[in-house]
Amino acid sequence: MNDDQLRELMSSRDPAASLPPARPERVARLLEDTMSPDVQTPADQRQEADPRRRTPLTWVLAAAAVLVIAGVGFFALNGGEGRQPTATPPSSEAPRTVLHLTAPPPTQGRCAMVTARLLGNQDSAFDGTVTAIDGRSVTLEVSHWYRGGDQDLVVVEAPDPEMQALIQSVTFDQGGRYLVSATDGIVTVCGFSAAYSDDLAAIYAEAFGA
Amino acid sequence: MRPVAEVVDDARRERFESLAVTLIEPLRRYLARRADPTTADDVLAETLLVCWRRLEELPGDPLPWAYRVAANCLANARRGVRRQERLAAKVAVVDPPASVVPGPGDTEAPDLDAALAALRDEDAELLRLWAWEQLTPAEIAEVLDITPNAASIRLHRAREKLRAELGARKGDRPAGHEESDEGSRS
């Protein structure tokens, strides 16, 4: 079977083949809704309607679905140190997908200014709420991925002193909403990951798009 | 005289409208192939909103870029649905739609759905973009945010894998079905 025949075979099973074109009035309505100011996107609505209640089962499932994606180090400070990556792809059977990140080692480096250009170099970025903190890890429930993942939870883990430094630099609080970015499995500190604010959200939006 | 801001705004709206009408149909099809109708509608609206907000960033050929935005929005919608399912133990609603039901003449067609399902998700998606969205490797590269070279190589390999899967499925058929010509020759 040559390429053309293969393409033709696939086209013959196109699920959208029987989809009629959108009616003109529907298109007009869609355009008007899009361009009207203060439009609420379905994503906004979902986010606002996002229930905060969680059952104990949720945590059991979260614990059962541990997937490790840690990585080699780069972060926006001088003196970031490398780590060996241990990565597994998300499993379709896992009831909740989890991305594991680590904290950078404590450093004396100076911080660069947070800009969309620098932020845009990070390979993962999300908006999430802290659901659990202990001495070695912070768990966040993701409400929106800007880049690099579709996991439901992110667990930031690190040995004690480093975790303390991270918690201090990002000041994670239980129930707080955060914008977090990371590269090669290491959370970017120095203001690049911080409590949610409209200003930082605007920089995230500029760096990553919606 | 009208304020300058208003004139600029009108020009922007016109530009968006002329672009959006070319994007809506392909995006609707893209989403109909990958999501249930309600999710497809939501994600279409969301994708158009991103295009509207980032109108100045749209490249000359905006469709692959728009597919990429739609793919991201869809991934977020799927994640949201997974969360709802877990909380409310509901039935999945973002399942891909069933493929076209084979007609009476199609019964001999190789089992494409099963062959596609046997591929890795990444490979199957490359093939869908190629066959259903009819994209070139360069366009696929833009949708998937990879280099055109990588897209060409991966597409080539994905086609080979699909052919192998289809071949394997043919081989599974009852004895004598495929080999009947050979048998009658001797």
Side-chain angles (χ1 to χ4, degrees), chain A residues 1-4 6-7 9-23 26-27 30-37 39-44 46-47 50-51 53-55 57-58 61 94-97 141-147 149-152 205-210, chain B residues 12-14 16-17 20-21 24-25 28-30 32-33 41-46 48-50 52-54 57 72-73 75-77 79-80 82-84 86-87 97-100 102 106 109-113 116 124 127-132 134-136 156 159-160 162-163 166 170:
Chain A
M1 189 183 297
N2 66 27
D3 286 357
D4 289 343
L6 196 64
R7 202 179 205 179
L9 173 66
M10 278 193 73
S11 300
S12 72
R13 303 293 184 89
D14 179 355
S18 57
L19 185 74
R23 292 188 310 276
R26 158 128 171 72
V27 172
L30 197 54
L31 290 178
E32 206 39 59
D33 284 352
T34 304
M35 294 184 292
S36 60
V39 70
Q40 253 206 336
T41 65
D44 294 337
R46 269 199 295 276
Q47 224 159 314
D50 192 14
R53 68 202 146 75
R54 292 175 189 89
T55 65
L57 180 62
T58 314
L61 294 178
R96 280 201 99 142
T97 52
E141 182 163 332
V142 181
S143 61
H144 180 72
W145 277 102
Y146 288 93
R147 176 181 288 169
D150 70 343
Q151 289 86 354
D152 308 299
E206 192 188 338
F208 303 112
Chain B
R12 194 172 188 273
R13 289 172 69 95
E14 262 172 42
F16 176 73
E17 277 177 27
V21 291
I24 286 176
E25 275 308 314
R28 278 180 74 233
R29 283 167 195 282
Y30 173 92
R33 288 163 183 140
D41 278 352
D42 283 356
V43 174
L44 176 63
E46 217 173 312
L48 287 173
L49 192 62
V50 172
W52 165 240
R53 286 180 178 158
R54 301 178 63 191
E57 294 171 45
N72 284 336
C73 293
N76 270 317
R79 192 182 40 69
R82 284 205 305 271
R83 185 172 54 214
Q84 282 166 21
R86 282 186 303 270
L87 292 172
S99 291
V100 175
D106 289 344
D111 193 350
L112 179 73
D113 298 338
L116 268 177
L127 291 168
R128 287 185 210 112
L129 290 169
W130 170 68
W132 289 350
Q134 303 264 315
L135 299 185
T136 63
H156 177 75
R159 281 193 300 247
E160 291 302 312
L162 182 61
R163 270 191 274 265
L166 288 169
K170 265 189 186 170

Side-chain angles (χ1 to χ4, degrees), chain A residues 62 65-69 86 88-91 94 96-100 151:
Chain A
V66 170
L67 301 166
V68 176
I69 306 175
T86 51
T88 53
S91 156
R96 280 201 99 142
T97 52
V98 179
L99 175 69
H100 280 244
Q151 289 86 354

